[in-house]
Amino acid sequence: MKEAPPAAPADDVQSAPPPAPGADRHPALDFADSTAALPGGQRYDALATPDAARRWLLARDLISPDVRMYEVCAARSRTLRGHVRALFAARVEDRMAPAESLRAVNEALTRVPAAPLLTWDETDGPRRVQQHPTDQAVDHALAALAADAADLLTSPDATLLAACGAAPCDRFLLRTHGRRHWCSTRCGDRVRAARAYARRSGTP
C-alpha cells in the first residue's frame, strides 16, 4: 500500500488554505476541504489530531467549549469526511456514488435524534432546543455535517460543485464566479504562473 504524504500541522497558518467559494453556505464543503494536497507532496489536515479536530468543530459552533475530543472521535470525523469527499467527487464526475459512502452518511444522519426537544423555564417560557448528552456531542456535529452534505448534493448548488483545477490541490468549491475552477487565489495564481511559464518555455 502506498504511504500517504505527511499531513502538515493543522495550526500551520502558512499551510491552511483559505475557505473555498461556497464554504460559507455549506459547512459540509468546508468539512470536505479540511484536508488538501499541497505542493511538494505535503498534505494539510485540520482534523489530524483530537485537539485540531476539536478546534475545527468549535470554530464552526458544531460543539460547545466543554466538549473533550478523543482520537476515536477525531478518527470518526476523518472517516466521515472521506465519505463526504467521495460523494462530492462522484457528483462532480457524474458517476454513481460508492455504496459505502452513502451508507456512512445515512448512518451519521440517523445516529442521533434530529428533532429539537421542548423545554420550558420561567425566563424564556416554552422553546425548543437541541439538547444532547456531552458524550453524543460529536455524533450531533457529524449528523449536522452529513445533513448539510445531503442538502448540498440535492440542491441547485450541486450543479455548481467542482473540483479545484490547480494540481495538486484536491479541494472542492462552488463555481460562484463564471468559469472559475480553483478554490483560492493561491491556487489561481499557481495556475496562471504555470500557464505563463509554459508560454515562455514553449512547452504544451
Side-chain angles (χ1 to χ4, degrees):
M1 180 184 298
K2 184 179 180 180
E3 187 175 342
D11 55 358
D12 184 346
V13 177
Q14 291 299 109
S15 297
D24 57 334
R25 303 205 313 247
H26 292 286
L29 185 62
D30 201 23
F31 182 51
D33 286 347
S34 63
T35 184
L38 303 172
Q42 297 296 306
R43 186 158 199 95
Y44 169 78
D45 190 347
L47 310 179
T49 66
D51 283 346
R54 179 182 177 278
R55 287 196 301 271
W56 192 92
L57 293 169
L58 187 60
R60 288 152 185 83
D61 294 323
L62 290 167
I63 58 172
S64 59
D66 61 328
V67 171
R68 298 180 65 184
M69 182 75 72
Y70 299 95
E71 174 53 30
V72 64
C73 297
R76 284 180 48 225
S77 302
R78 294 191 297 269
T79 297
L80 179 63
R81 178 184 63 192
H83 288 301
V84 169
R85 288 178 57 82
L87 295 179
F88 286 179
R91 180 64 177 82
V92 168
E93 296 165 12
D94 194 24
R95 56 177 170 77
M96 280 296 296
E100 63 272 21
S101 295
L102 285 173
R103 274 196 306 272
V105 168
N106 284 327
E107 285 173 6
L109 281 169
T110 57
R111 193 178 180 95
V112 295
L117 302 179
L118 177 67
T119 64
W120 202 306
D121 59 54
E122 293 181 2
T123 304
D124 299 316
R127 60 195 175 99
R128 296 185 71 182
V129 296
Q130 192 71 271
Q131 289 185 329
H132 50 80
T134 301
D135 62 357
Q136 291 183 357
V138 174
D139 291 338
H140 278 262
L142 296 183
L145 291 165
D148 187 70
D151 287 344
L152 170 54
L153 288 166
T154 56
S155 75
D157 278 350
T159 61
L160 304 175
L161 189 62
C164 183
C169 184
D170 56 358
R171 295 206 303 164
F172 297 95
L173 67 143
L174 295 186
R175 292 193 308 273
T176 54
H177 294 87
R179 291 177 169 270
R180 174 173 173 170
H181 273 268
W182 47 83
C183 69
S184 66
T185 302
R186 184 189 303 179
C187 280
D189 289 345
R190 195 162 65 247
V191 169
R192 285 187 286 269
R195 288 174 181 167
Y197 175 79
R199 284 195 299 269
R200 288 194 306 270
S201 61
T203 56

